Amino acid sequence: MSMEMTAWNAMYNARHAKDDQRPFSKETFRRIGGFARPHRRALVAFLVLSVATALLAVATPVLAGRVVNAISDGAAESTVVRLALLIAAIALAEAGIGLAARWLSARIGEGLILDLRTTVYDHVQRMPVAFFTRTRTGALVSRLNSDVIGAQRAFSGTLSGVLSNVVMLLLALGVMVSISWQITLLALALLPVFVLPARRMGARLARLSREAANHNAVMSTQMTERFSAPGATLVKLYGRPAEESAEFAARAGRVRDIGIRTAMLQMVFVTALTLVSALALALVYGLGGFYALRGSLDPGAVVALAMLLTRLYAPLTSLASARVEVMSALVSFQRVFEVLDLRPLIEERADARPVPEGPVSVEFDAVDFAYPAADRVSLASLEEVATLDTRGGDQVLHGVSFRVEPGRLVALVGSSGAGKSTIAQLAPRLYDADAGAVRVGGVDVQDLTADSLRATLGLVTQDGHLFHDTIRANLLLPRPDADDSEVWDALRRSRLDALVASLPDGLDTVVGERGYRLSGGERQRLTIARLLLARPRVVILDEATAHLDATSEAAVQEALGEALAGRTSVVIAHRLSTVRAADEILVIEGGRIVERGTHESLLAAGGRYEELYTTQFDTGLDGGLGGGLDPREEPAATPAG
């Protein structure tokens, strides 16, 4: 590698170094070794090839010097030809070894990226919902991208670079000293001029790079939030486009200024080092030529010294920045390990068993629950804050007990924030109860396998989420093996078949980010179709019609009638008219069940339910659905779910 290329690499490493002063324990290195262990044979072969490359790189200047001496001494033509052929053979060997080393480097690096990414991805998937409610998605994605790539660079670049550079440096220095220790000493005198600017200017470039990265991160966040469908709508309604544009332009302008300054600093640095390189070569040729003319040094030795000089300065400069590379890689590993060290609050037991066959009940037995504090489920770096929020741990549910018999429907009503949605999230084990037990089919959910629990319970929320994918892909999420006839049947029963059939691409229509290409009612019915396709034995509806107009709600209620028919059901309702026909209604206030009974008995009792019901009808909040729909009563024209 030329000294100019070495200078550019030094600048790149300095700019992209991570500014982190945390100590690294033996445990960190042990865990790094754990990821490297599956690639140990390839690593050893890679290091051997790197050393071989260093040996060949030093051999060429020595042979070139011998060619010059052979010519000046008038040696036989065959001698010069043999030396030239040997140089050619070394070049071919160097090229072949270089290709092999590059293949091994790519194999190790990409293999490590695969191992790290899949490990982090699988671990993150096991994290509780509380983790995702606190974490910034961009920060988490960064761990799977930039930090993982930074970690693998330690193996594919830094490790081999340090070893090969040390070998090349020692060999080059040894050969140069053996040829002329005086010239070698003078050449080394220029070393501080070559290395010290790299460290000082590298630090300045790193600061500029971090500032640019911060500005880019803010602009990226601004674009991500403003360019999403709800964000763009909010800006059009309440935003300040001119001020936001000015703020964005100011940051973009600062990034431009930093880019110009960085480019000039890099060019000044590389030009200065190239100049130092030329001065060093001039010194070798001048002093070496002087000694050669006096007969104390062979002409070939002068050529060998000049060629070896590049083999000396290049590795010295690379090694000067090696610490930056190593620390940067260690920081990347540390940031990856931070995520892996977050222990999932919900883990499947080794002896977990499947949900019993047949109709199942849902039971809450004296359940207490408090949402976990931030330090149990999150990291400050993932939330992009200095310190984690210390709030949390306040009890939300207090001794909640009820039972939903197989095939029956229980409705939960109450004020906002009373704990209804929390109850809905405990049954499918999105969270675990702190005390008491949640049972499905008579078995504590903590003793059940995650797969069987997922197949048994279906949850529809008020903002049913859809991926930016086709209608078919969104529907097949719970049952990838379902055929088209089953898909169309689910769409028909959710009152969406006519709409999907009218679309140009039918089932292959892309619904857009979070399904925003569909109306609210259509999105909700599509999530119900997905539920119907999944065929769960227990259905939980968490205010599935809360944000819909009366027309959309009527269509969704029809689809819900299909979804709930014959199934054990827990329904959280905002509009009380939708739960009149429930087998039992539970009134939740302050995390406690304060009333329970049928619609008629609760009205007659004149308590909280009667107050809520009267308030809705007196203020017209109910939506005018009158007697409501018994969701268990299946329309006569449609088959059972």
Side-chain angles (χ1 to χ4, degrees):
M1 183 185 292
S2 69
M3 282 187 276
E4 185 174 349
M5 283 297 298
T6 302
W8 280 112
N9 284 338
M11 288 297 92
Y12 176 86
N13 292 329
R15 285 189 61 199
H16 292 81
K18 293 181 174 64
D19 187 17
D20 198 295
Q21 301 299 322
R22 288 173 295 177
F24 300 101
S25 63
K26 292 182 180 179
E27 178 65 15
T28 300
F29 291 99
R30 186 192 66 78
R31 296 176 70 176
I32 293 173
F35 279 100
R37 193 169 296 112
H39 310 281
R40 57 186 179 276
R41 292 185 179 178
L43 270 170
V44 171
F46 178 49
L47 294 176
V48 169
L49 291 179
S50 298
V51 172
T53 301
L55 291 170
L56 293 175
V58 174
T60 301
V62 175
L63 291 174
R66 291 185 179 180
V67 169
V68 172
N69 284 336
I71 295 173
S72 63
D73 293 343
E77 295 177 358
S78 59
T79 301
V80 176
V81 172
R82 280 197 302 272
L83 289 171
L85 289 174
L86 185 55
I87 291 174
I90 289 175
L92 289 172
E94 201 170 354
I97 291 173
L99 288 174
R102 185 68 188 91
W103 179 80
L104 283 172
S105 171
R107 179 180 174 186
I108 295 166
E110 296 302 323
L112 191 68
I113 287 177
L114 174 64
D115 294 344
L116 284 171
R117 277 183 174 160
T118 54
T119 300
V120 175
Y121 187 87
D122 293 344
H123 183 77
V124 169
Q125 279 197 312
R126 295 166 52 218
M127 298 303 293
V129 174
F131 171 80
F132 299 98
T133 61
R134 303 193 65 92
T135 299
R136 292 197 64 163
T137 304
L140 188 57
V141 171
S142 176
R143 301 295 169 101
L144 284 164
N145 289 327
S146 60
D147 284 314
V148 165
I149 293 173
Q152 68 88 18
R153 195 177 291 128
F155 291 97
S156 60
T158 305
L159 184 61
S160 65
V162 169
L163 184 61
S164 61
N165 282 324
V166 167
V167 172
M168 187 183 299
L169 177 64
L170 293 176
L171 287 174
L173 190 59
V175 174
M176 288 181 70
V177 169
S178 68
I179 294 174
S180 174
W181 66 266
Q182 297 95 333
I183 295 177
T184 302
L185 189 62
L186 286 173
L188 289 176
L190 291 175
L191 181 62
V193 182
F194 193 74
V195 174
L196 293 179
R199 297 180 65 88
R200 295 188 61 183
M201 199 168 293
R204 293 175 63 187
L205 286 170
R207 285 194 297 271
L208 288 173
S209 180
R210 282 192 290 273
E211 183 184 348
N214 290 335
H215 287 303
N216 281 320
V218 173
M219 288 192 295
S220 178
T221 299
Q222 184 177 356
M223 288 187 288
T224 301
E225 291 180 343
R226 271 63 173 180
F227 292 170
S228 65
T233 303
L234 185 62
V235 169
K236 290 183 182 297
L237 291 175
Y238 301 110
R240 298 168 289 108
E243 289 85 346
E244 291 206 7
S245 178
E247 180 185 348
F248 185 88
R251 289 189 181 277
R254 179 55 183 158
V255 172
R256 175 205 60 195
D257 296 340
I258 290 174
I260 295 172
R261 187 177 177 189
T262 297
M264 291 308 300
L265 281 173
Q266 287 178 328
M267 198 62 215
V268 168
F269 174 77
V270 173
T271 302
L273 293 187
T274 304
L275 178 60
V276 171
S277 170
L279 292 175
L281 283 173
L283 185 150
V284 169
Y285 283 126
L287 189 58
F290 174 78
Y291 284 139
L293 290 173
R294 294 185 60 181
S296 57
L297 196 65
D298 295 329
V302 178
V303 174
L305 283 170
M307 295 182 67
L308 284 168
L309 187 66
T310 60
R311 268 63 169 184
L312 182 67
Y313 273 55
L316 277 172
T317 306
S318 295
L319 289 173
S321 62
R323 178 184 173 278
V324 173
E325 298 176 46
V326 171
M327 294 301 292
S328 180
L330 287 175
V331 169
S332 294
F333 269 113
Q334 194 87 329
R335 284 166 59 84
V336 170
F337 292 154
E338 269 188 340
V339 177
L340 295 179
D341 287 339
L342 268 177
R343 183 178 177 182
L345 295 182
I346 299 173
E347 296 189 271
E348 185 175 300
R349 293 174 178 171
D351 58 348
R353 53 193 173 114
V355 177
E357 296 293 331
V360 295
S361 61
V362 175
E363 181 182 5
F364 278 61
D365 184 6
V367 170
D368 292 343
F369 176 76
Y371 284 101
D375 59 355
R376 295 181 60 199
V377 296
S378 186
L379 294 169
S381 57
L382 289 179
E383 295 188 26
E384 296 183 0
V385 296
T387 57
L388 286 171
D389 187 351
T390 57
R391 294 174 297 175
D394 295 333
Q395 193 165 339
V396 177
L397 299 181
H398 308 266
V400 173
S401 296
F402 66 91
R403 179 179 173 86
V404 188
E405 297 293 343
R408 309 287 279 179
L409 186 151
V410 168
L412 309 181
V413 300
S415 306
S416 297
K420 305 184 299 296
S421 294
T422 302
I423 292 173
Q425 294 179 89
L426 292 179
R429 211 185 172 196
L430 299 181
Y431 294 92
D432 272 341
D434 297 325
V438 179
R439 301 187 183 94
V440 173
V443 182
D444 193 316
V445 292
Q446 298 186 31
D447 295 325
L448 295 172
T449 62
D451 287 342
S452 69
L453 192 61
R454 192 160 41 241
T456 301
L457 276 76
L459 173 63
V460 176
T461 61
Q462 56 186 301
D463 57 346
H465 189 81
L466 298 175
F467 291 127
H468 182 76
D469 209 331
T470 63
I471 292 174
R472 186 198 309 274
N474 275 286
L475 290 175
L476 292 178
L477 188 63
R479 278 189 59 210
D481 59 338
D483 57 35
D484 276 6
S485 63
E486 293 176 292
V487 171
W488 280 109
D489 182 60
L491 288 171
R492 178 179 58 79
R493 292 159 61 196
S494 61
R495 312 300 188 264
L496 269 180
D497 54 328
L499 171 68
V500 175
S502 69
L503 297 173
D505 295 323
L507 289 173
D508 295 319
T509 300
V510 176
V511 300
E513 185 179 5
R514 300 183 66 182
Y516 274 107
R517 294 180 188 173
L518 304 175
S519 70
E522 290 164 352
R523 283 200 304 273
Q524 200 67 314
R525 277 182 282 162
L526 197 58
T527 64
I528 294 170
R530 183 167 59 196
L531 181 78
L532 289 168
L533 198 62
R535 297 185 297 201
R537 287 177 280 168
V538 177
V539 173
I540 301 173
L541 305 179
D542 186 2
E543 302 197 38
T545 63
H547 300 316
L548 302 180
D549 58 65
T551 303
S552 297
E553 181 180 11
V556 171
Q557 285 285 16
E558 277 194 81
L560 288 176
E562 288 278 357
L564 300 182
R567 293 183 170 93
T568 306
S569 308
V570 177
V571 176
I572 299 172
H574 175 69
R575 295 185 174 110
L576 300 186
S577 64
T578 62
V579 299
R580 288 179 178 179
D583 296 299
E584 185 177 30
I585 298 173
L586 307 179
V587 182
I588 313 295
E589 293 294 345
R592 293 179 171 85
I593 299 176
V594 296
E595 295 178 12
R596 64 175 73 208
T598 62
H599 171 71
E600 291 78 11
S601 66
L602 289 173
L603 281 181
R608 178 59 177 158
Y609 180 82
E610 192 271 341
E611 180 185 344
L612 290 170
Y613 192 79
T614 303
T615 301
Q616 281 198 2
F617 275 94
D618 285 347
T619 58
L621 295 175
D622 187 74
L625 292 182
L629 172 71
D630 184 346
R632 298 168 301 148
E633 292 181 359
E634 175 193 350
T638 57

